[in-house]
């Protein structure tokens, strides 16, 4: 919630924190019944655009949030990998050799574009479309929105830190869920490392509702030989609902929120 608040502030859109909280909870409530993160992302974007009247800027904040969300997952992956890679067995070496450079490249590319958005502006300036009237106005706003964070490096780094905490704490939650169901042999770093991979798989999967199925399959493939098949499946499913249950309160706000 704070991450979304900061990104909107970076675009000059400021809402009361209570509005941000209820909007986020409503988005999470809707997202429980929709693929990937479509419900949350879509509702937050709709809400910010509707109440600010600045659709382009709200869309830019959403775009950056998606990027920084992936960064948070990759950083969590890199932090947990040194102590959790044993779950990969004989594949650990080549998986590390392939994935670590990719993770660093993606992280570096994101910040390079965010801090030097001239590349986006360069592409926009060369789109083969008319430049008159409303189109020119929209393109100008898109260029400004893309460059909004260029001189807000501390804000962007704060957002990236929050994104890391979001995903690291979520990964850690799956460890505590495994312990809660009796997986005494569960290792914190191994379960957390596996969970970062599982989180990434559910985020990029557009084919399941709220990642159901993908979450359990990936967790089982990675952890069954460490904590057991049943424990892997149940901890993944129960961990999701442990995190999701409080946000289902968003349904109350959805039905009680007035049109204004």
């Amino acid at each position: 919630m704070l991450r979304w608040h900061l990104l909107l502030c970076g675009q000059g859109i400021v809402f009361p924190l209570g509005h941000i909280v209820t909007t986020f909870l409503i988005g999470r409530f809707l997202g429980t019944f929709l693929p990937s993160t479509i419900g949350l992302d879509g509702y937050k974007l709709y809400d910010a655009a509707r109440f600010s009247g600045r659709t382009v800027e709200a869309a830019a904040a959403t775009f950056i949030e998606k990027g920084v969300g992936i960064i948070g997952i990759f950083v969590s992956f890199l932090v947990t990998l040194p102590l959790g890679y044993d779950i990969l067995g004989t594949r650990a070496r080549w998986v590390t050799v392939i994935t670590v450079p990719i993770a660093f490249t993606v992280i570096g590319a994101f910040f390079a574009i965010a801090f030097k958005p001239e590349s986006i502006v360069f592409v926009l300036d060369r789109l083969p479309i008319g430049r008159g009237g409303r189109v020119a106005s929209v393109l100008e706003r898109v260029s400004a929105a893309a460059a909004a964070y260029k001189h807000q490096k501390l804000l962007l780094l704060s957002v990236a830190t929050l994104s890391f905490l979001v995903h690291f704490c979520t990964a850690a939650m799956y460890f505590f869920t495994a312990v809660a169901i009796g997986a005494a042999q569960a290792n914190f770093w191994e379960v957390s490392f596996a969970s970062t991979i599982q989180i990434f798989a559910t985020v990029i999967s557009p084919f399941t509702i709220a990642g159901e199925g993908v979450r359990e399959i990936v967790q089982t493939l990675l952890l069954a030989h460490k904590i057991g098949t049943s424990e892997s499946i149940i901890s993944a499913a129960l961990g999701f609902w442990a995190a999701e249950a409080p946000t289902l309160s968003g349904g109350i706000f959805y039905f009680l929120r007035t049109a204004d």
Side-chain angles (χ1 to χ4, degrees):
M1 295 173 188
L2 182 57
R3 181 180 69 183
W4 178 236
H5 172 66
L6 290 176
L7 285 169
L8 288 179
C9 288
Q11 293 287 345
I13 302 173
V14 181
F15 293 122
L17 190 57
H19 182 89
I20 294 287
V21 170
T22 54
T23 295
F24 194 94
L25 289 174
I26 291 171
R28 281 293 295 266
F29 167 73
L30 297 175
T32 304
F33 312 101
L34 294 169
S36 188
T37 58
I38 290 174
L40 177 59
D41 295 335
Y43 188 79
K44 294 202 326 297
L45 173 57
Y46 157 77
D47 180 88
R50 176 187 177 191
F51 289 105
S52 69
R54 302 172 64 188
T55 303
V56 171
E57 290 77 7
T62 300
F63 177 77
I64 293 296
E65 185 185 45
K66 294 306 296 179
V68 83
I70 297 298
I71 297 307
I73 297 175
F74 280 8
V75 173
S76 299
F77 171 84
L78 293 172
V79 168
T80 56
L81 183 146
L83 295 174
Y85 71 93
D86 278 349
I87 63 169
L88 300 174
T90 57
R91 299 164 294 179
R93 180 179 177 81
W94 69 261
V95 169
T96 301
V97 168
I98 294 173
T99 58
V100 170
I102 291 175
F104 276 114
T105 300
V106 172
I107 293 170
F110 172 81
F111 283 107
I113 293 173
F115 291 155
K116 298 283 188 181
E118 290 81 2
S119 57
I120 299 177
V121 177
F122 178 85
V123 172
L124 290 174
D125 287 341
R126 283 154 181 79
L127 289 176
I129 56 178
R131 302 279 163 174
R134 183 173 176 79
V135 173
S137 175
V138 170
L139 286 176
E140 184 178 346
R141 287 177 59 192
V142 170
S143 297
Y149 302 103
K150 179 179 180 179
H151 301 297
Q152 302 185 74
K153 294 180 174 60
L154 182 59
L155 182 145
L156 206 56
L157 289 173
S158 298
V159 167
T161 301
L162 290 170
S163 189
F164 161 71
L165 290 174
V166 165
H167 294 295
F168 180 79
C169 290
T170 301
M173 178 200 65
Y174 285 105
F175 162 74
F176 292 111
T177 308
V179 172
I181 64 169
Q185 66 274 40
N187 174 278
F188 175 82
W189 292 106
E190 290 178 347
V191 176
S192 297
F193 174 61
S195 297
T196 63
I197 300 173
Q198 170 255 112
I199 291 168
F200 180 73
T202 57
V203 167
I204 65 172
S205 172
F207 305 112
T208 64
I209 303 302
E212 291 289 357
V214 172
R215 180 180 298 103
E216 290 76 13
I217 290 171
V218 174
Q219 205 80 332
T220 302
L221 289 173
L222 293 170
L223 291 174
H225 65 293
K226 287 286 186 177
I227 67 174
T229 301
S230 298
E231 289 83 356
S232 300
I233 295 172
I234 296 172
S235 64
L238 189 60
F240 167 73
W241 285 109
E244 199 68 18
T247 64
L248 289 177
S249 63
I252 299 173
F253 295 111
Y254 180 72
F255 289 109
L256 293 181
R257 187 179 262 190
T258 58
D260 60 353

